[in-house]
Amino acid sequence: MIEVSNLQKSFGDHAVLKGVSLSVEPGEVVCLIGPSGSGKSTILRCLNGLESYDGGEVRISGRLVDQSSKDIHSIRASLGMVFQRFNLFNHRTVMQNIIEGPVYVKHETVDQARSRAAALLDRVGLKGREDAYPTELSGGQQQRVAIARALAMQPDAMLFDEPTSALDPELVGDVLHVMRDLAEEGMTMVVVTHEMGFAREVSDRVCFLYDGRILEEGPSKQVLGHPENPRTQDFLKRVLHPDAQGEDAS
């Protein structure tokens, strides 16, 4: 479903992606992990055409992702995107946020869009909050609305860009629960995350990125439990055992 070949991207003189290749099969869940600045979020933005790329190729279901292509809008519509900071419209209700894409992009009737939105809100545990505004919701609730909004477009795959990193720890679980349910239902997902427990339990494969390259890739339990690359080992040590770093330093 997703095919990335030798992807290259620079911002000015700074090379962010240095020849990344990645494939994702239908129904597969792939987690991208690695330190900040390694290129994980840039990959997602290149997948749905939010960011142009300098070299290589990105294809979604065989279609080339190219910002100048006539297909770019339909390709974007086929990929649900959930951002770190929710990106909801604060001046619109939860229901209005969810139905905007289906009504104005897919030209569904308002009744059709509202019916699906109500079902999706029930699915993410927010039944009865249709008329609330984002500022009246917790961060975790806002992120679940963002997931419902993405699902309302009936995407072929979902892209998650660190969906829990802006949340207080006690709010993370509800969002991850929704994502686990999606994975169990067979949704194709590419997830940038620092939640190693989620990556281990839910993903089929994990890719470790460092300095714009994939240094290690494989089944989640293998990469997270028995990493081979020294940089992967060091990263996981720091993420999974942060207290040990302080003890080493002392």
Side-chain angles (χ1 to χ4, degrees):
M1 177 172 288
I2 297 172
E3 190 70 38
V4 179
S5 304
N6 194 31
L7 186 63
Q8 300 161 52
K9 173 66 181 178
S10 294
F11 293 104
D13 295 332
H14 178 53
V16 179
L17 299 177
K18 305 174 182 178
V20 170
S21 295
L22 171 70
S23 62
V24 182
E25 298 295 329
E28 192 174 24
V29 178
V30 175
C31 282
L32 308 181
I33 67 170
S36 297
S38 56
K40 307 181 299 295
S41 296
T42 303
I43 290 174
L44 292 194
R45 294 177 67 85
C46 288
L47 289 182
N48 66 3
L50 286 176
E51 201 73 66
S52 62
Y53 49 91
D54 304 319
E57 193 174 85
V58 176
R59 290 187 178 273
I60 306 296
S61 298
R63 296 186 294 173
L64 181 67
V65 177
D66 183 342
Q67 288 186 330
S68 62
S69 169
K70 295 179 180 178
D71 278 346
I72 191 63
H73 295 299
S74 62
I75 290 173
R76 284 177 179 152
S78 73
L79 297 171
M81 182 80 175
V82 178
F83 299 89
Q84 179 179 347
R85 293 287 178 180
F86 325 136
N87 285 23
L88 300 176
F89 296 112
N90 286 329
H91 63 290
R92 296 182 181 174
T93 66
V94 165
M95 177 61 74
Q96 290 168 340
N97 267 279
I98 295 174
I99 70 173
E100 180 169 1
V103 171
Y104 292 105
V105 177
K106 301 190 78 171
H107 307 294
E108 294 182 6
T109 67
V110 172
D111 286 345
Q112 285 177 319
R114 289 183 67 90
S115 177
R116 182 178 299 112
L120 287 170
L121 285 172
D122 188 21
R123 180 177 177 181
V124 300
L126 291 173
K127 184 178 181 180
R129 303 310 305 270
E130 294 88 343
D131 297 324
Y133 286 88
T135 54
E136 299 172 335
L137 304 177
S138 70
Q141 290 172 327
Q142 289 185 62
Q143 194 61 293
R144 282 182 279 156
V145 172
I147 294 173
R149 178 182 60 181
L151 291 172
M153 295 293 288
Q154 299 179 283
D156 297 324
M158 291 282 287
L159 311 177
F160 292 88
D161 189 5
E162 300 194 35
T164 61
S165 63
L167 303 179
D168 292 332
E170 66 269 21
L171 304 176
V172 168
D174 290 337
V175 174
L176 293 181
H177 178 76
V178 173
M179 294 172 66
R180 284 188 179 92
D181 286 347
L182 287 176
E184 290 174 1
E185 293 165 10
M187 174 63 73
T188 307
M189 298 163 59
V190 181
V191 184
V192 173
T193 185
H194 288 293
E195 298 289 342
M196 296 302 120
F198 173 86
R200 181 183 291 107
E201 297 166 21
V202 179
S203 67
D204 299 292
R205 279 187 296 128
V206 167
C207 300
F208 172 71
L209 279 91
Y210 184 87
D211 193 28
R213 295 183 174 91
I214 294 178
L215 294 191
E216 188 161 357
E217 177 182 0
S220 57
K221 290 180 175 58
Q222 173 187 313
V223 173
L224 298 177
H226 307 283
E228 297 178 357
N229 189 285
R231 292 201 183 277
T232 315
Q233 295 169 1
D234 183 61
F235 171 78
L236 290 173
K237 181 180 179 181
R238 293 174 183 275
V239 171
L240 297 175
H241 307 290
D243 292 340
Q245 300 300 310
E247 293 169 6
D248 292 343
S250 63

